[in-house]
Amino acid sequence: MKHKSFFIASENETVGEVAFRNIRADIIRGKLKPGQKLKLEKLKADYGVAVPTLREILSRLAAEEFVVAEGQRGFEVTSVSEAGLRDIAALRLLLETHALRQSIATGDLQWEARVVSSHYMLKVVETKLIDGDISQVEQWVQQDWEFHHATISACASPAMMAAHSTAFDRFLRYHMLVLDFRGKPAADEHAQLRDLVIARDAEAAIKLLTSHVESGLNHVLGTGKIPA
Amino acid sequence: MKHKSFFIASENETVGEVAFRNIRADIIRGKLKPGQKLKLEKLKADYGVAVPTLREILSRLAAEEFVVAEGQRGFEVTSVSEAGLRDIAALRLLLETHALRQSIATGDLQWEARVVSSHYMLKVVETKLIDGDISQVEQWVQQDWEFHHATISACASPAMMAAHSTAFDRFLRYHMLVLDFRGKPAADEHAQLRDLVIARDAEAAIKLLTSHVESGLNHVLGTGKIPA
DNA sequence: TTACAATATATTATCCAAAATATAAGGCAA
DNA sequence: TTGCCTTATATTTTGGATAATATATTGTAA
């Protein structure tokens, strides 16, 4: 408590935790490219943490399927493919539709408020993007995440939420790799989803969500940037 | 990617990998008790690996929710509760029914053979257990795992299979904690499930699986060994 | 020229020790 | 006595160094 370490204690977080988030974000954002070998010495220089700490971080990411650990040959960023995208999209949809149905059935007023407020913030970013301000893409990804999570946040199932979170992030990674916003149709779908959720129309909401995810899937594949 | 279950030990694998499986198995088997603090020095002595390697292992287990990392206060075994069991049972059921439907729709002859053969092995163990040979409980857990995985092994969705694997293992942990075999009813359900799967009756199979999991859930809770 | 083997290099897996931090215990003042 | 501050201990977190392993390279024989 005498002299707090300059890097750590100011935020009460360990340097390992910070590096973990940075590396994870760099994979999702595509700065660390699919299939790329993750050499420990290089990472050590880039993120400023020691080798054992890096191994700890990469092991956690491997459990989330963001990196693969190849036996005794080190780590590399998980590669992407059309099949991989379809796979993860299906998983996301399965978890999200289930959680959405539960949320609509049991959500309270606070939950509705979360949905409304997160959609409001999402819409602001979407409007900017539609107007051509491409700098907001990362902000949009963040708000998209917040909104979808808000809609299922009343499902009262921590395990389901946790599984959905990592599935969603892996799905998002594909969007970040092609870095192409779908525009007004996606924004309209979000608004409709918000209304259906508030109206407690579970079946219509699920139907919309399904086509929403599938449209996103096709949009990403349509850019031709994802290998077969 | 193979989904090995938790007892298998291979020879030219890293010491870290072996220790990982041992610790994971000890948590599932209840040797490391829910809520127990995992002191690094103690683990170091028990499993014969150094501290940084242990941190790597515990981090991976934390990603699977078998242990929790409490800020800067080390690790402890994830505690159990009735709500936790219901939660994880629901997740298992959601993933398994979905994968089962897909498998039944697209499975080939080899898949049917896997189902039949794994059920045969399961039945042998179940018969011994029903006859009172309690020493076979761990073997039963292993075969139960193999059988259920065989039924969904044709779903062609790696992400779904991976998610199901960890959910299933967490569900299994509760069974191991109460260490009480449900007996003939469970064995009968397995046999029926095998027949329905081979007959490609998806809806009936899913209905049976659902009641199978729910019966297991109630059986575990009925022992009174799981805190509220 | 090609295939194989042996060496050399690069990279990883592991361990030990030091620094930082939290927890417990003890002493002092109110 | 009780509460709080200080000191001491236990535990965790991190960095650096060493041993083990895989990959690349080179040379030699068929």
Side-chain angles (χ1 to χ4, degrees):
Chain A
M1 205 65 81
K2 317 214 169 149
H3 46 69
K4 298 185 170 186
S5 166
F6 193 74
F7 303 95
I8 305 170
S10 56
E11 294 182 6
N12 245 349
E13 284 199 324
T14 68
V15 308
E17 202 63 27
V18 173
F20 171 76
R21 267 209 311 279
N22 286 337
I23 295 178
R24 192 175 189 274
D26 284 348
I27 291 175
I28 294 176
R29 289 162 46 180
K31 191 178 168 191
L32 295 171
K33 298 192 175 58
Q36 178 180 342
K37 196 112 201 331
L38 292 169
K39 290 175 190 163
L40 295 174
E41 291 301 320
K42 179 78 161 55
L43 294 181
K44 181 178 161 185
D46 289 352
Y47 296 94
V49 288
V51 171
T53 310
L54 276 173
R55 292 187 56 79
E56 182 181 327
I57 291 167
L58 295 176
S59 295
R60 289 168 63 186
L61 291 173
E64 283 187 282
E65 313 248 359
F66 282 117
V67 314
V68 290
E70 302 208 356
Q72 284 133 312
R73 289 195 298 281
F75 300 87
E76 64 179 58
V77 181
T78 302
S79 56
V80 296
S81 67
E82 181 176 334
L85 174 55
R86 292 186 183 280
D87 191 14
I88 198 63
L91 180 58
R92 176 196 158 178
L93 209 47
L94 178 68
L95 293 167
E96 194 164 331
T97 53
H98 183 85
L100 184 59
R101 196 189 308 271
Q102 279 197 308
S103 274
I104 288 176
T106 67
D108 59 6
L109 188 61
Q110 290 190 340
W111 165 70
E112 292 185 11
R114 276 200 299 277
V115 171
V116 171
S117 101
S118 62
H119 178 263
Y120 175 79
M121 292 174 75
L122 172 61
K123 184 165 188 171
V124 168
V125 180
E126 284 176 332
T127 303
K128 288 184 186 172
L129 272 168
I130 293 172
D131 289 349
D133 184 357
I134 308 185
S135 69
Q136 300 288 320
V137 163
E138 292 196 3
Q139 197 61 30
W140 166 67
V141 166
Q142 176 71 21
Q143 292 303 329
D144 185 60
W145 197 95
E146 298 285 354
F147 171 65
H148 281 287
H149 261 255
T151 61
I152 65 173
S153 64
C155 86
S157 174
M160 205 84 71
M161 290 292 282
H164 176 266
S165 289
T166 79
F168 193 95
D169 283 346
R170 283 195 274 161
F171 184 72
L172 224 53
R173 179 173 170 233
Y174 281 88
H175 281 264
M176 294 301 283
L177 288 174
V178 304
L179 210 65
D180 192 18
F181 176 57
R182 192 150 61 88
K184 195 164 182 305
D188 289 345
E189 284 160 22
H190 283 144
Q192 286 173 45
L193 182 58
R194 181 202 58 179
D195 292 341
L196 289 173
V197 159
I198 300 298
R200 310 271 174 165
D201 188 342
E203 296 315 314
I206 285 168
K207 198 173 170 187
L208 176 63
L209 176 63
T210 303
S211 77
H212 177 64
V213 171
E214 278 169 4
S215 298
L217 168 71
N218 290 326
H219 177 71
V220 169
L221 289 177
T223 64
K225 293 181 183 175
I226 304 297
Chain B
M1 173 176 166
K2 291 168 206 160
H3 295 283
K4 292 186 179 179
S5 189
F6 45 83
F7 297 100
I8 305 164
S10 179
E11 290 199 357
N12 47 358
E13 283 204 319
T14 68
V15 50
E17 201 64 26
V18 173
F20 170 76
R21 270 208 308 279
N22 286 337
I23 294 178
R24 192 175 189 275
D26 283 349
I27 291 175
I28 294 176
R29 289 161 48 179
K31 192 178 166 189
L32 295 171
K33 298 191 176 58
Q36 178 180 343
K37 195 117 203 326
L38 293 170
K39 289 175 190 164
L40 294 174
E41 291 301 321
K42 181 77 161 55
L43 294 180
K44 180 179 164 185
D46 289 352
Y47 295 94
V49 289
V51 171
T53 310
L54 276 173
R55 291 187 58 78
E56 182 181 327
I57 290 168
L58 295 176
S59 296
R60 290 168 63 186
L61 291 173
E64 283 188 282
E65 313 247 3
F66 283 116
V67 313
V68 291
E70 302 207 0
Q72 284 131 311
R73 289 197 300 279
F75 300 87
E76 65 180 58
V77 180
T78 302
S79 55
V80 295
S81 66
E82 179 176 335
L85 174 55
R86 291 187 185 281
D87 191 14
I88 198 62
L91 180 58
R92 177 197 157 178
L93 209 47
L94 178 67
L95 293 167
E96 193 164 332
T97 53
H98 184 85
L100 183 59
R101 185 177 275 120
Q102 279 196 310
S103 274
I104 289 176
T106 67
D108 59 6
L109 187 60
Q110 289 190 340
W111 165 70
E112 293 185 9
R114 277 199 299 276
V115 172
V116 170
S117 100
S118 63
H119 178 263
Y120 175 78
M121 292 175 74
L122 172 61
K123 184 166 189 172
V124 169
V125 180
E126 285 176 332
T127 303
K128 287 184 186 171
L129 272 168
I130 292 172
D131 290 348
D133 184 358
I134 308 184
S135 68
Q136 300 288 320
V137 161
E138 292 197 2
Q139 196 63 30
W140 166 67
V141 167
Q142 173 73 18
Q143 292 304 329
D144 185 60
W145 197 95
E146 298 286 353
F147 172 66
H148 281 286
H149 262 255
T151 62
I152 65 173
S153 64
C155 86
S157 175
M160 206 84 71
M161 290 291 282
H164 177 266
S165 289
T166 78
F168 193 95
D169 283 347
R170 282 195 274 162
F171 184 71
L172 224 52
R173 178 174 170 231
Y174 281 86
H175 282 263
M176 295 299 282
L177 288 175
V178 304
L179 210 65
D180 192 20
F181 176 58
R182 192 150 61 88
K184 195 162 183 306
D188 289 345
E189 285 160 21
H190 284 144
Q192 287 173 45
L193 181 58
R194 181 202 59 179
D195 293 340
L196 288 173
V197 158
I198 299 298
R200 309 270 174 167
D201 188 343
E203 296 315 314
I206 285 168
K207 198 173 170 188
L208 176 62
L209 176 64
T210 303
S211 77
H212 177 63
V213 171
E214 278 169 5
S215 297
L217 168 71
N218 290 326
H219 178 71
V220 169
L221 289 178
T223 63
K225 293 182 183 174
I226 304 297

